[in-house]
Amino acid sequence: MPRADGPFEIVEKIGSNAYKVDLPSDYEVHDTFNMGDLSPYYDSDDEEATVKEMLKDGFHDNKWTMSTKGYSIKEGHAWLAPDQPTLNWTNIMWNNWNIPKHSLTTWLRMNEGMNVKSKLFRFGCCTDDWCILCQRQPETVEHLFTSCVYSVRVQRCLLHWFGGTFTTVDRLSAENRNTLQWKFKVAMFNAYHYFIWFQRNNARINDWLSRPEVVAVRIEDDIKRRVKMKCKAL
Ligand SMILES: [Zn+2]
């Protein structure tokens, strides 16, 4: 006799905590079980229905509503997928000093979600993989935001204004997050990604590219305007 088997159909509810199950006749065991001995069956061919059934089961058994004030999608997700790695860079993007379109561009960059030419070329969607901004190297995410001469010129202009060295996710993650300087750097970092990606798309679609100095000034203006608004609100 196996320790677990199924699926079997529930044919009758017996009392408050037991069910009669439609077992094959050759099992030769009593066909009524306590609820604790039964598990719900999920059809692995239908992933969406499976997740729905699991959530329903978790909700009814209070498995993911116990630790909070009640229903919460966040708790439900944590219950369904408990061992997700903690990413140390998420609050670099998602904080109230950034605007969503800037944050989203950085998030795409960090998740390799951008359709850069090296990726499109691999899938046969374009005839070459050369960087549109510099025409010197294959366009990878790393190249576009780190080593492309065009982007490096934008970085230099920003550093001329802001000082120091151009920041990275690792540096931002390691620094004290409660300073105004950190928030300022984070806003610049996210805006940089958005404006570089915007220029790259503009060059690809409209065949038009602004000078790096002009892009840097746009980033500066954008951040100054936002910082002013924030400081007024504080
Ligand atoms: Zn380039």
Side-chain angles (χ1 to χ4, degrees), residues 141-165:
V141 170
E142 191 58 22
H143 167 79
L144 199 55
F145 295 103
T146 310
S147 56
C148 178
V149 286
Y150 180 91
S151 309
V152 169
R153 275 176 68 186
V154 176
Q155 290 182 19
R156 282 203 191 119
C157 294
L158 289 171
L159 293 179
H160 186 68
W161 168 55
F162 191 66
T165 49

Side-chain angles (χ1 to χ4, degrees), residues 162-179:
F162 191 66
T165 49
F166 199 75
T167 197
T168 62
V169 168
D170 287 341
R171 269 190 231 142
L172 286 171
S173 304
E175 287 172 16
N176 179 0
R177 294 166 189 218
N178 295 320
T179 64

Side-chain angles (χ1 to χ4, degrees), residues 25 66 122 133 144 157:
S25 53
M66 293 288 275
R122 261 200 323 275
L133 301 180
L144 199 55
C157 294

Side-chain angles (χ1 to χ4, degrees), residues 76-123:
H77 183 263
W79 176 74
L80 268 180
D83 300 319
Q84 296 297 308
T86 307
L87 302 171
N88 65 352
W89 42 260
T90 50
N91 62 356
I92 289 169
M93 276 142 254
W94 311 114
N95 66 60
N96 60 6
W97 282 74
N98 298 318
I99 53 177
K101 64 181 182 183
H102 293 184
S103 304
L104 185 65
T105 321
T106 311
W107 188 84
L108 283 173
R109 182 228 160 142
M110 297 304 294
N111 285 286
E112 298 277 332
M114 286 169 161
N115 286 330
V116 284
K117 281 182 76 186
S118 58
K119 197 185 202 179
L120 295 173
F121 184 61
R122 261 200 323 275
F123 293 124

Side-chain angles (χ1 to χ4, degrees), residues 177-194:
R177 294 166 189 218
N178 295 320
T179 64
L180 194 62
Q181 197 188 35
W182 186 82
K183 287 165 182 164
F184 201 75
K185 275 191 207 172
V186 158
M188 186 176 77
F189 188 69
N190 284 282
Y192 166 78
H193 285 104
Y194 172 79

